Amino acid sequence: MKWKEQILSLKAYQPGRTTDQVKKAYGLTDVVKLASNENPFGSSEKVKECIREYADSFAIYPDGYTTGLRTELASFLNVSEKQLIFGNGSDEIIMMLSRAMLEPGKNTVMPTPSFPQYRHNAVVEGAEVREVELVNGAHNLDKMADSIDENTAIVWLCSPNNPTGIHITDVQLRGFLDRVPEEVLVVLDEAYFEYVTADDYYNALEIIKEYKNVLVLRTFSKVYGLAAFRVGYGFADESLITQLEPVREPFNVNSLGQKAAAAGLSDQAFIDQCRTANKEGLEQFYAFCRENGLDYYPSEANFILIDFKCDSNELFEYLMSKGYIVRSGAALGIPGTVRVTVGSKEQNEGVMSAMKSFLAETVKR
Ligand SMILES: *Cc1c(COP(=O)(O)O)cnc(C)c1O
């Protein structure tokens, strides 16, 4: 077979264990998944109502222009409909951008550790990957700007960054963008945007007006609680979107997803509640870390990376045996830590109590 050379060394995405698998393996009746930054409160009631009503026309292809959702979202964001692109999750837009711009001879600059799909798609396209280490969980924007040359096609920024939760400030972002040549695309991945409360955060809608080479990614998978439907979107100056559109598959956003996302968007009260509950949850974790002398990264997202300075796979296995699935920092490139999705108050108390017994048991040994 004539595979691209670089595919041969790539590994397929390793899904974590499902709650059912963990229940079986450890004989547990209750398992809480705090591993994928899903919304512990589910989704808006409006979504459930709208999906119940939509139990026919399954023989019909989706609306290939995502018209209804497009109109709603354009008015919500106050952008033109032509400034939007939709994907089967923002994952798919990362793939479209990589496909449209990356190839052997080009390079792409990204932070590390960060969202793995930037690197993965660049490797598939045969582009050179330039990874710039985080400093204290934050982007090293100076070094990222220094890494750009005439062959750089895309720079990826993730704010707040997954897996550290650290955001980029308005001053930092503008300082960086002023250094990026206008023919280099900057992708600003804001998968956790709706959770942000920091005062020094930038306004992405202003940014795309001032910098025509910036494309912002957001998703309905996280705070909207609609990960099952796979709907993400990008917004940018119209000229960028127009050039990217031909790379998109004709029916990439499924019909139910289009309906569900529009219903979710219409219930901003739900989003506000989730943001508030998340903030309270983060405070629970901060207090826990202080009490137990643990370092952590202050987070603007719905997860927290805690430094246990231990074998993070061991802690990961231990928590799983107690019914809590988290992400091991070893798997994320920050050994000694675990990343925990902020759950409901009770879920947070539960996982913290399991963490406490782990600490007590490891001290005894
Ligand atoms: C979850 C996540 C995504 C992917 O979201 P989908 O829209 O579900 O594909 C993208 N970027 C980051 C940083 C994420 O954490």
Side-chain angles (χ1 to χ4, degrees):
M1 292 296 134
K2 295 169 186 168
W3 299 105
K4 291 178 178 176
E5 187 65 34
Q6 63 271 20
I7 305 284
L8 303 175
S9 60
L10 273 186
K11 280 208 224 65
Y13 179 74
Q14 296 278 321
R17 279 200 257 182
T18 65
T19 47
D20 281 341
Q21 288 165 338
V22 173
K23 277 182 196 167
K24 243 197 193 137
Y26 294 91
L28 298 163
T29 46
D30 287 319
V31 170
V32 179
K33 186 166 164 245
L34 300 173
S36 302
N37 307 333
E38 292 147 335
N39 190 336
F41 307 108
S43 53
S44 163
E45 285 302 319
K46 294 203 167 138
V47 172
K48 289 171 215 168
E49 286 159 26
C50 118
I51 292 303
R52 266 183 228 113
E53 282 167 21
Y54 195 72
D56 55 7
S57 11
F58 292 153
I60 309 300
Y61 276 106
D63 174 342
Y65 196 58
T66 317
T67 310
L69 175 59
R70 180 182 299 272
T71 304
E72 299 288 329
L73 188 60
S75 121
F76 178 75
L77 294 174
N78 197 17
V79 298
S80 102
E81 296 190 5
K82 290 184 181 151
Q83 288 181 274
L84 293 172
I85 189 158
F86 291 90
N88 185 36
S90 47
D91 269 348
E92 195 201 12
I93 307 179
I94 296 171
M95 185 171 85
M96 286 184 224
L97 289 163
S98 304
R99 195 171 172 206
M101 289 193 166
L102 301 180
E103 61 190 337
K106 300 257 178 70
N107 70 66
T108 177
V109 176
M110 62 190 70
T112 187
S114 189
F115 193 57
Q117 291 305 308
Y118 315 143
R119 177 178 212 285
H120 187 88
N121 281 285
V123 171
V124 171
E125 301 303 338
E128 181 201 337
V129 176
R130 298 189 172 176
E131 293 180 297
V132 178
E133 286 282 336
L134 302 176
V135 177
N136 295 326
H139 290 58
N140 185 342
L141 291 171
D142 275 334
K143 191 150 180 226
M144 290 185 77
D146 291 341
S147 306
I148 297 170
D149 66 15
E150 67 281 5
N151 296 319
T152 304
I154 310 180
V155 180
W156 305 89
L157 303 177
C158 187
S159 176
N161 186 50
N162 181 1
T164 55
I166 307 272
H167 68 291
I168 300 174
T169 69
D170 188 44
V171 173
Q172 290 166 344
L173 181 62
R174 286 168 185 280
F176 173 75
L177 292 174
D178 287 338
R179 290 189 60 192
V180 178
E182 59 190 23
E183 68 277 9
V184 174
L185 175 70
V186 177
V187 179
L188 189 48
D189 185 347
E190 292 196 298
Y192 302 94
F193 163 74
E194 296 84 358
Y195 285 111
V196 173
T197 58
D199 295 331
D200 58 1
Y201 202 72
Y202 53 84
N203 178 343
L205 292 156
E206 294 296 325
I207 293 290
I208 61 154
K209 277 185 213 151
E210 291 170 49
Y211 301 90
K212 312 274 185 212
N213 58 334
V214 174
L215 187 144
V216 179
L217 293 179
R218 290 187 189 167
T219 181
F220 286 96
S221 299
K222 302 289 159 60
V223 77
Y224 284 91
L226 302 175
F229 291 104
R230 311 298 302 122
V231 186
Y233 61 95
F235 58 89
D237 188 65
E238 188 181 321
S239 61
L240 258 180
I241 299 296
T242 307
Q243 194 54 66
L244 181 59
E245 268 288 322
V247 180
R248 186 177 65 78
E249 279 183 38
F251 304 109
N252 63 328
V253 182
N254 71 84
S255 304
L256 287 175
Q258 296 187 25
K259 300 270 179 210
L265 187 68
S266 76
D267 190 356
Q268 288 301 310
F270 175 76
I271 303 304
D272 294 342
Q273 282 162 23
C274 293
R275 182 189 306 108
T276 304
N278 182 67
K279 207 77 208 166
E280 290 165 6
L282 282 171
E283 291 299 335
Q284 279 179 280
F285 280 102
Y286 295 162
F288 169 82
C289 291
R290 284 193 297 267
E291 276 160 30
N292 292 281
L294 299 167
D295 289 335
Y296 63 90
Y297 293 90
S299 174
E300 289 294 322
N302 69 334
F303 54 82
I304 178 168
L305 192 73
I306 305 178
D307 191 359
F308 283 82
K309 301 189 171 56
C310 69
D311 177 342
S312 45
N313 287 331
E314 187 189 339
L315 172 55
F316 164 76
E317 291 285 341
Y318 179 90
L319 293 175
M320 195 145 68
S321 74
K322 303 286 178 197
Y324 294 93
I325 314 177
V326 301
R327 281 301 294 273
S328 160
L332 298 169
I334 314 186
T337 65
V338 292
R339 191 193 69 193
V340 193
T341 302
V342 176
S344 66
K345 186 162 183 280
E346 294 69 32
Q347 291 171 338
N348 299 338
E349 282 164 359
V351 73
M352 286 186 287
S353 141
M355 286 168 171
K356 229 182 155 112
S357 14
F358 174 83
L359 290 171
E361 285 181 30
T362 40
V363 167
K364 255 186 266 156
R365 270 191 281 149

